[in-house]
Amino acid sequence: LDEDDIANANIIVYGHAEGPLLKRFGPRAFFTPGPLARGTVGLLELDGDGHVVIATYTPAGEALTREQLQGRATKLTVSG
């Protein structure tokens, strides 16, 4: 990704990490669930109040982490 790709993004989801990681830089959050082979999957969801929640789970569906981000979601665009 370059500067133009993340200029207006609030949440960046990426791969190629050794394990799950959520890192915040000001209004931006960078999230990776880590490799599936190590037993984690990631999920971004909106809660009932419109806040973005980032969670990690085992492949069997057991919750490992769950964290609500500040602010409310108004638009979601996925690009790959």
Side-chain angles (χ1 to χ4, degrees):
L1 296 174
D2 63 23
E3 189 174 323
D4 290 337
D5 292 325
I6 64 171
N8 294 314
N10 291 324
I11 303 169
I12 312 296
V13 179
Y14 64 97
H16 298 290
E18 301 249 338
L21 178 69
L22 175 61
K23 188 80 168 175
R24 296 176 187 200
F25 293 100
R28 290 186 178 85
F30 292 79
F31 173 66
T32 181
L36 181 58
R38 292 221 175 148
T40 56
V41 294
L43 176 72
L44 284 130
E45 64 178 313
L46 291 177
D47 68 11
D49 296 323
H51 295 100
V52 175
V53 175
I54 294 179
T56 57
Y57 293 87
T58 67
E62 178 184 340
L64 298 171
T65 64
R66 183 175 173 83
E67 192 164 342
Q68 179 183 11
L69 299 181
Q70 292 181 343
R72 296 174 151 243
T74 57
K75 178 179 159 183
L76 176 65
T77 303
V78 177
S79 62

